[in-house]
Every structure is written in structure tokens, then in C-alpha cells.
Amino acid sequence: LSQALATAVTGLRATQIGLSVVAGNVANAETPGYVRKTPAQTATAVGDVFVGVRVDAINRQLDQYVQRQMRVENSGASYADLRAQFYDRLQSIYGVPGSGSALETMFNDFTAALQALSTSPELTSARGAVLSSAQVLTQQLHSMTLDIQALRGDAEQGISDAVTRANTAMPRIAELNQQLSGVIGSDATSANLLDERNRHVDELAQLMD
């Protein structure tokens, strides 16, 4: 009877751990970087007689190959997205080709005014048109210069922010590696440390190759 009760207790403990793991999975379903975990159970025996069950490890349900591929793709996607954002902003500064606010349109208007003046230099209206179109073109160039400098400033600030984030993540990854090196086996603590390390590595993947 005592052996039967001891065996039942091991089963209850294993079930309790399993319920705790399931509860953690549910509670962290929306937590960024969290990986679903499952308990690894092993039967215990004395000789040829099974006398109970124990939880040997808390395993993370993660495909490392897929994880590596995702990091590579996320890195490329982050780079492409950032370039696209700056290209869009630069395009808005230059203007849509053919529109009245585009640089090429204003330059063409100025060139046309000069050609008209060259054929009729005595006309006051032709000289006025050249001055007007030149003023508009100059103002547009000045405005574009300011916008492009602002764009450059945003790019430099973005680089500075990215370097700061990377310099914050890398020491934390090194610290987590040291903590993991002192963990024997796979338990809930090591699984959570691996989740946190993966989260920082994923962040780095969006900042650099």
C-alpha cells in the first residue's frame, strides 16, 4: 500500500508540473519571444518494477532551423523596409514625375521661359516669366535642400538609435550565456533564459546581418 501511494504521489507531482507548464503557455500566448514548453516525463523503476514517474526536463517546442531562417529573412526584410521608407520620403521630396510640384516640371518651365525670352528678348512679359519661373525653381531647390538635410539627420539618428539598441542587447546576451552555462539540465529557469536570449538575438537580427 505504501508503494502504491508513493507511486501515485509521483504521478500527481508530474501532473502538477504539467498543469503549471500548460498554464504558463496559456498565460504567455501573446508574450513576444515566448516559446511553448512541454514537460519531458520518464518512468522510474526499481529493478524490473516501475515505481513512478518524474519530470526530467522542460523542453521548448522550437525548430532551430526555422528559427535561423526566420532571422535571416527578418534581417533582409528590415533592411528592405527601411530603404523603402527613405526612398518614399525622397520621392515625395522630388515630387511625382509630371506633377506641377515636381522638380522636373519647374525646371522645364524655367527652360521654356528662357527659350521664349531668347526668341523675343524685347518682351517685358517674357522677362517677367523668366524671373518668376527662376524664383519658383530657386525656392523649390531651397526647400528640397532643407528636406533632404532633414532626411539625412533622421538617418543618422536612426543609426545612432540602432547602435544603442545593439550595444544594450549584446552584453545582455553575454550575461544570459554565462547564466545558462551554469545551469545543469533543462528546467523552467533555463527555458525562460533561452526565451529571453532568443528575443535579444531576434532584435539584433533586425538591426544587422
Side-chain angles (χ1 to χ4, degrees):
L1 180 59
S2 297
Q3 182 62 52
L5 289 175
T7 301
V9 168
T10 63
L12 289 173
R13 288 175 178 169
T15 302
Q16 183 181 30
I17 294 174
L19 290 174
S20 177
V21 171
V22 171
N25 290 335
V26 173
N28 291 281
E30 301 297 329
T31 301
Y34 182 82
V35 177
R36 185 172 66 89
K37 299 171 180 63
T38 57
Q41 298 182 352
T42 303
T44 59
V46 176
D48 296 331
V49 180
F50 292 102
V51 294
V53 64
R54 69 172 183 268
V55 175
D56 285 336
I58 304 298
N59 295 326
R60 304 165 71 239
Q61 301 302 303
L62 177 68
D63 189 322
Q64 293 186 353
Y65 173 78
V66 173
Q67 182 186 54
R68 286 194 297 269
Q69 291 301 113
M70 285 186 60
R71 285 174 178 163
V72 172
E73 296 302 325
N74 285 339
S75 179
S78 179
Y79 172 72
D81 181 63
L82 188 61
R83 287 189 62 184
Q85 291 179 22
F86 275 89
Y87 280 142
D88 288 342
R89 292 177 61 183
L90 194 60
Q91 182 62 55
S92 67
I93 293 174
Y94 288 135
V96 179
S99 66
S101 59
L103 176 62
E104 63 165 349
T105 300
M106 297 181 183
F107 182 77
N108 291 337
D109 292 342
F110 176 63
T111 303
L114 287 177
Q115 291 176 347
L117 179 62
S118 65
T119 57
S120 304
E122 73 283 355
L123 294 179
T124 303
S125 59
R127 294 195 294 268
V130 169
L131 291 175
S132 177
S133 60
Q135 185 178 17
V136 171
L137 179 60
T138 301
Q139 291 175 347
Q140 179 66 11
L141 289 172
H142 177 69
S143 176
M144 288 175 58
T145 299
L146 295 178
D147 291 340
I148 291 175
Q149 288 300 323
L151 191 64
R152 177 181 178 179
D154 291 345
E156 292 176 347
Q157 183 61 49
I159 293 173
S160 177
D161 293 342
V163 170
T164 300
R165 290 170 58 192
N167 287 339
T168 301
M170 287 187 285
R172 181 55 183 161
I173 292 173
E175 180 182 346
L176 290 169
N177 284 335
Q178 290 180 352
Q179 294 180 25
L180 286 167
S181 65
V183 175
I184 300 176
S186 176
D187 55 11
T189 300
S190 63
N192 290 331
L193 290 176
L194 287 170
D195 285 350
E196 184 179 356
R197 185 179 68 177
N198 283 346
R199 186 168 66 252
H200 289 298
V201 174
D202 290 341
E203 181 182 5
L204 284 180
Q206 296 178 355
L207 300 174
M208 61 184 66
D209 190 351

